[in-house]
Amino acid sequence: MKTIDSIHFSGKRAIIRVDFNVPLNDKFEITDESRINAAIPTIQKILSDGGSVILMSHLGRPKSGPEEKFSLKHLIPTLNQKLNTTVLFAPDCIGAETKKMAEALQSGQVLLLENLRFYKEETKGDEAFSAKLAELADVYVNDAFGTAHRAHASTTIIAKFFPHTKVFGYVMANEIASINKVLLETKKPFTAILGGAKVSDKIGIITNLLEKVDHLIIGGGMMFTFIKAMGGEIGTSLVEPELLNTANDLLAKAKKKGVSIHIPSDAIVADSFNNDANTKEVPSYSIDKDWMGLDIGSKSIENFKEIILNSSTILWNGPMGVFEMENFSKGTKAVALAVADATAKGAFSLIGGGDSVAAINKYHLADKVSYVSTGGGAMLEYMEGKILPGIQAILD
Ligand code: AMP
């Protein structure tokens, strides 16, 4: 893998595509710094080599042109503190002034560029715009795994202007190594746990995983499409009627491949989508008509715990229920704890996808699993077996 460790940055200017798309509150304070924390080792390696750093990122989804609430300048105090320096700021990500600031950078200095997505050329992957970003630096570093599945100017197109000086940062390198550990260097038994709202988002990953896993646990809202496809009564639970045939096809494929699919046999049902709704525990395939399944039941929890604890490789994407509501969080919490216990016993565990990461953080288990991925969509696409343009562009 071509990583920053292969370059000595002394006297070099590196432009790093970071993922600083962090959540901000009304006062423009960062409410979750994980993405910034993740990028610090890459920045520090370049600075301690004696290089200088230009940071570029998107933030939010500006519609057309600059918007105060999406300015990257709000990140400066946090960056100053974490890097223990005064970070310079370019109020435009391209242009003569920015070029002048880049050229004036001294060894050890950091320049943060304004939001790339203030230009529509960024998401369009415009070549001329990419060239303007490229002329700011000697080396291109991609460390934004969360956007590696997009062929944008700063994530992909820019790489062609650095034919011999383009590398992965540590975030990218760790993400790739962890996913490869799960997909290519798999220790058996391998269990994948998939949850979340929709089957439609996960068809690709389920199909690819059926080639590799021993056990596939399905929870969350998506379980009900499978249960209905098998002829169950699911009341008013979440369902994607257009995917019933697909669900049956996936079940048949699993059987053919010898993969054990585990669909919850019981569920916690509620009479409305509300934490204070009336609830009861019932078989998941015979839910009364005005009730909806919002979590997995206690028999399923026990069953899943046992499978997880006997696994050597674990991939978890998506919650088991509506874990944001306390009364429907038991299944997700139990799975999170079981993954942590299995990891303590020696399993390799990879957690990916926004909501399972939120769950792991909620239960303070992030340091008790092997790796927490920073990229939801990018991880899913990689797991589906797709070649991510941001990764390919460095390898080309
Ligand atoms: P996803 O983004 O597809 O991973 O879905 C995550 C969302 O699925 C979370 O906000 C959960 O609240 C929701 N979810 C999980 N289980 C259920 C369920 N049984 N019914 C409705 N929504 C659910």
XYZ file of all heavy atoms in Angstrom, residues 42-97:
423
model
N -1.911 11.667 10.855
C -1.419 11.906 9.492
C -0.782 13.295 9.398
O 0.326 13.457 8.864
C -2.585 11.792 8.478
O -3.071 10.451 8.520
C -2.163 12.140 7.069
N -1.482 14.288 9.933
C -0.974 15.664 9.872
C 0.352 15.749 10.642
O 1.344 16.313 10.160
C -2.005 16.652 10.475
C -3.335 16.565 9.712
C -1.456 18.084 10.469
C -4.495 17.294 10.373
N 0.355 15.126 11.824
C 1.558 15.223 12.659
C 2.777 14.546 12.051
O 3.900 15.033 12.185
C 1.274 14.686 14.061
C 0.997 15.857 14.976
C 0.231 15.483 16.211
O -0.195 14.342 16.362
N 0.033 16.446 17.089
N 2.566 13.447 11.371
C 3.699 12.753 10.721
C 4.365 13.698 9.706
O 5.592 13.811 9.649
C 3.183 11.463 10.056
C 3.762 11.126 8.694
C 5.132 10.445 8.750
C 5.659 10.205 7.319
N 7.074 9.918 7.255
N 3.546 14.391 8.921
C 4.098 15.270 7.883
C 4.825 16.463 8.519
O 5.931 16.821 8.126
C 2.975 15.731 6.925
C 2.428 14.508 6.186
C 3.471 16.793 5.946
C 1.154 14.733 5.408
N 4.202 17.026 9.563
C 4.834 18.175 10.230
C 6.132 17.766 10.914
O 7.136 18.468 10.838
C 3.873 18.797 11.256
C 2.577 19.393 10.694
C 1.722 19.960 11.825
C 2.870 20.491 9.660
N 6.126 16.583 11.540
C 7.352 16.218 12.276
C 8.469 15.806 11.325
O 9.649 15.865 11.687
C 7.076 15.135 13.326
O 6.659 13.977 12.675
N 8.135 15.462 10.085
C 9.168 15.231 9.068
C 9.818 16.544 8.620
O 10.827 16.533 7.913
C 8.534 14.612 7.803
C 8.497 13.097 7.851
O 8.857 12.528 8.893
O 8.093 12.483 6.837
N 9.137 17.677 8.931
C 9.644 18.971 8.458
C 8.901 19.462 7.226
O 9.369 20.355 6.519
N 7.730 18.897 6.961
C 6.924 19.350 5.829
C 5.909 20.393 6.260
O 5.821 20.727 7.443
N 5.149 20.905 5.299
C 4.023 21.783 5.623
C 2.751 21.141 5.069
O 2.816 20.304 4.163
C 4.235 23.184 5.055
O 4.439 23.109 3.662
N 1.604 21.557 5.638
C 0.348 20.854 5.351
C -0.734 21.820 4.880
O -0.926 22.880 5.482
C -0.121 20.117 6.635
C -1.584 19.731 6.538
C 0.746 18.890 6.903
N -1.436 21.426 3.830
C -2.632 22.145 3.394
C -3.795 21.181 3.599
O -3.761 20.044 3.099
C -2.527 22.557 1.910
C -1.315 23.477 1.713
C -3.811 23.224 1.439
C -0.942 23.698 0.264
N -4.807 21.608 4.362
C -5.943 20.735 4.651
C -7.130 21.151 3.800
O -7.477 22.331 3.744
C -6.328 20.848 6.126
C -5.276 20.410 7.142
C -5.713 20.795 8.558
C -5.044 18.900 7.044
N -7.767 20.173 3.145
C -8.976 20.497 2.374
C -10.068 19.485 2.711
O -9.814 18.307 2.920
C -8.690 20.514 0.872
C -8.168 19.224 0.299
S -8.055 19.346 -1.504
C -7.206 17.813 -1.878
N -11.318 19.994 2.795
C -12.441 19.138 3.162
C -13.749 19.762 2.684
O -13.779 20.927 2.283
C -12.504 18.984 4.679
O -13.602 18.180 5.059
N -14.815 18.966 2.758
C -16.134 19.567 2.619
C -16.748 19.623 4.014
O -16.254 18.979 4.942
C -17.007 18.765 1.660
C -17.549 17.484 2.229
N -16.767 16.363 2.411
C -18.782 17.159 2.690
C -17.504 15.392 2.929
N -18.728 15.844 3.122
N -17.809 20.406 4.150
C -18.558 20.455 5.408
C -20.018 20.691 5.033
O -20.349 21.704 4.418
C -18.030 21.597 6.294
C -18.815 21.866 7.588
C -18.766 20.673 8.545
C -18.274 23.102 8.309
N -20.857 19.752 5.376
C -22.287 19.890 5.087
C -22.586 19.849 3.604
O -21.766 19.391 2.793
N -23.778 20.347 3.277
C -24.200 20.335 1.870
C -24.624 21.721 1.410
O -25.819 21.990 1.221
C -25.382 19.374 1.705
C -24.982 17.960 1.966
C -26.101 17.011 1.662
N -25.559 15.663 1.729
C -26.213 14.586 1.391
N -27.428 14.682 0.922
N -25.658 13.408 1.486
N -23.650 22.634 1.227
C -24.027 23.964 0.753
C -24.706 23.857 -0.617
O -24.304 23.023 -1.433
C -22.685 24.700 0.650
C -21.623 23.671 0.788
C -22.206 22.453 1.393
N -25.740 24.712 -0.829
C -26.503 24.573 -2.077
C -25.793 25.219 -3.256
O -25.511 24.578 -4.252
C -27.905 25.148 -1.897
C -28.741 24.237 -1.031
C -30.229 24.390 -1.255
C -30.977 23.422 -0.378
N -30.791 23.681 1.073
N -25.554 26.557 -3.133
C -24.816 27.205 -4.238
C -23.956 28.306 -3.660
O -24.466 29.320 -3.232
C -25.796 27.752 -5.283
O -26.679 28.635 -4.649
N -22.680 28.048 -3.601
C -21.747 29.064 -3.130
C -21.626 29.100 -1.614
O -22.216 28.281 -0.913
N -20.828 30.073 -1.126
C -20.501 30.139 0.296
C -21.708 30.375 1.204
O -22.622 31.112 0.851
C -19.558 31.343 0.371
C -19.034 31.523 -1.004
C -20.104 31.064 -1.928
N -21.719 29.720 2.352
C -22.732 29.915 3.393
C -22.002 29.874 4.718
O -21.269 28.911 4.987
C -23.748 28.759 3.375
C -24.900 28.917 2.409
C -25.818 27.702 2.451
O -26.613 27.582 3.400
O -25.718 26.859 1.552
N -22.234 30.904 5.524
C -21.550 31.046 6.822
C -21.584 29.738 7.638
O -20.581 29.291 8.177
C -22.226 32.197 7.585
C -21.854 32.345 9.050
C -20.472 32.953 9.272
O -19.857 33.415 8.289
O -20.021 32.932 10.438
N -22.770 29.111 7.690
C -22.886 27.951 8.588
C -22.056 26.757 8.110
O -21.829 25.827 8.867
C -24.345 27.560 8.787
C -25.039 27.000 7.585
C -26.430 26.514 7.978
C -27.194 26.133 6.735
N -28.517 25.709 6.929
N -21.615 26.783 6.859
C -20.799 25.669 6.366
C -19.327 26.048 6.216
O -18.566 25.361 5.529
C -21.336 25.163 5.027
C -22.714 24.563 5.116
C -23.741 25.003 4.293
C -22.975 23.546 6.023
C -25.014 24.447 4.370
C -24.239 22.978 6.109
C -25.259 23.431 5.281
N -18.926 27.182 6.838
C -17.525 27.599 6.706
C -16.616 26.723 7.566
O -16.905 26.463 8.742
C -17.363 29.062 7.121
O -15.982 29.385 7.117
N -15.506 26.332 7.000
C -14.542 25.525 7.768
C -13.783 26.353 8.800
O -13.077 25.807 9.632
C -13.575 24.809 6.815
C -14.156 23.521 6.226
C -13.383 23.076 5.006
C -14.157 22.400 7.265
N -13.947 27.678 8.748
C -13.246 28.513 9.739
C -13.705 28.167 11.164
O -12.970 28.377 12.123
C -13.441 30.001 9.437
C -14.834 30.496 9.713
C -14.923 31.995 9.472
C -16.343 32.450 9.810
N -16.837 33.526 9.039
N -14.922 27.618 11.303
C -15.421 27.251 12.642
C -14.560 26.164 13.288
O -14.645 25.936 14.486
C -16.866 26.760 12.556
C -17.799 27.726 11.901
N -17.907 29.033 12.326
C -18.645 27.597 10.843
C -18.794 29.660 11.549
N -19.243 28.810 10.647
N -13.750 25.493 12.493
C -12.941 24.387 13.039
C -11.575 24.873 13.564
O -10.858 24.104 14.199
C -12.701 23.321 11.953
C -13.803 22.281 11.737
C -15.130 22.928 11.415
C -13.415 21.288 10.656
N -11.248 26.138 13.263
C -9.889 26.604 13.576
C -9.518 26.475 15.062
O -8.462 25.918 15.374
C -9.666 28.052 13.051
C -9.712 28.026 11.518
C -8.326 28.611 13.516
C -9.680 29.394 10.881
N -10.377 26.940 16.007
C -9.969 26.833 17.426
C -9.642 25.393 17.825
O -8.644 25.148 18.516
C -11.194 27.357 18.186
C -11.961 28.177 17.193
C -11.681 27.603 15.847
N -10.452 24.453 17.369
C -10.226 23.037 17.713
C -8.918 22.535 17.100
O -8.131 21.840 17.757
C -11.407 22.180 17.195
O -12.597 22.735 17.730
C -11.270 20.731 17.597
N -8.674 22.909 15.847
C -7.436 22.469 15.187
C -6.209 23.078 15.860
O -5.197 22.400 16.067
C -7.466 22.844 13.699
C -8.355 21.960 12.823
C -8.509 22.579 11.430
C -7.769 20.556 12.710
N -6.314 24.371 16.208
C -5.189 25.030 16.899
C -4.826 24.268 18.160
O -3.651 24.020 18.437
C -5.575 26.460 17.304
C -5.543 27.409 16.122
O -5.016 27.060 15.056
N -6.117 28.583 16.283
N -5.855 23.895 18.891
C -5.624 23.239 20.178
C -5.053 21.830 19.967
O -4.085 21.437 20.605
C -6.963 23.212 20.927
C -6.923 22.578 22.283
C -7.902 21.434 22.363
O -8.990 21.484 21.772
N -7.509 20.389 23.053
N -5.610 21.090 19.019
C -5.162 19.705 18.830
C -3.780 19.620 18.193
O -3.038 18.671 18.428
C -6.164 18.927 17.970
C -7.452 18.698 18.712
C -8.344 17.693 18.036
C -9.682 17.625 18.724
N -9.650 16.961 20.018
N -3.443 20.618 17.355
C -2.141 20.569 16.675
C -1.109 21.431 17.395
O 0.059 21.459 17.000
C -2.289 21.030 15.219
C -3.086 20.080 14.324
C -3.431 20.743 12.994
C -2.304 18.787 14.079
N -1.583 22.162 18.416
C -0.691 22.991 19.200
C 0.071 23.982 18.322
O 1.282 24.143 18.426
C 0.282 22.096 19.989
C 0.892 22.840 21.126
O 0.381 23.901 21.510
N 2.005 22.325 21.656
N -0.662 24.636 17.428
C -0.064 25.616 16.519
C -1.147 26.617 16.122
O -2.310 26.461 16.511
C 0.514 24.913 15.271
O 1.180 25.873 14.463
C -0.538 24.230 14.429
N -0.781 27.635 15.362
C -1.790 28.559 14.837
C -2.047 28.185 13.386
O -1.193 28.383 12.523
C -1.288 30.024 14.933
O -0.958 30.278 16.291
C -2.345 30.998 14.468
N -3.208 27.620 13.149
C -3.550 27.172 11.794
C -3.946 28.397 10.959
O -4.746 29.228 11.391
C -4.694 26.135 11.859
C -5.261 25.830 10.484
C -4.197 24.855 12.539
N -3.366 28.515 9.767
C -3.713 29.627 8.868
C -4.970 29.238 8.096
O -5.238 28.049 7.888
C -2.562 29.887 7.890
C -1.198 30.140 8.559
C -0.074 30.052 7.533
C -1.209 31.493 9.240
N -5.739 30.243 7.648
C -6.995 29.939 6.956
C -7.069 30.676 5.631
O -6.850 31.891 5.563
C -8.174 30.339 7.852
C -9.506 30.025 7.237
C -9.908 28.713 7.053
C -10.361 31.045 6.835
C -11.133 28.403 6.477
C -11.596 30.751 6.256
C -11.978 29.428 6.083
N -7.367 29.946 4.561
C -7.568 30.561 3.249
C -9.070 30.659 3.000
O -9.741 29.635 2.898
C -6.914 29.714 2.157
N -9.620 31.883 2.890
C -11.073 32.047 2.766
C -11.637 31.557 1.429
O -12.843 31.639 1.199
C -11.298 33.551 2.914
C -9.985 34.143 3.281
C -8.896 33.158 2.968
N -10.794 31.052 0.561
C -11.239 30.467 -0.707
C -10.344 29.246 -0.910
O -9.163 29.282 -0.569
C -11.005 31.486 -1.835
C -11.714 31.095 -3.122
O -12.127 29.924 -3.243
O -11.837 31.968 -4.006
N -10.879 28.150 -1.462
C -10.021 26.965 -1.580
C -9.111 27.017 -2.810
O -8.160 26.235 -2.914
C -10.864 25.683 -1.547
S -12.008 25.537 -2.917
N -9.430 27.920 -3.771
C -8.544 28.103 -4.941
C -8.337 29.611 -5.168
O -8.885 30.413 -4.430
C -9.136 27.460 -6.224
C -10.556 27.968 -6.465
C -9.112 25.934 -6.148
C -11.117 27.605 -7.830
N -7.570 29.960 -6.195
C -7.394 31.383 -6.536
C -6.007 31.887 -6.197
O -5.228 31.225 -5.503
N -5.716 33.119 -6.703
C -4.362 33.681 -6.586
C -3.941 33.873 -5.133
O -2.802 33.568 -4.756
C -4.312 35.016 -7.336
N -4.876 34.381 -4.299
C -4.529 34.636 -2.887
C -4.168 33.336 -2.166
O -3.207 33.264 -1.411
C -5.726 35.283 -2.163
C -5.804 36.786 -2.338
C -4.481 37.479 -2.004
O -3.985 37.273 -0.881
O -3.940 38.203 -2.868
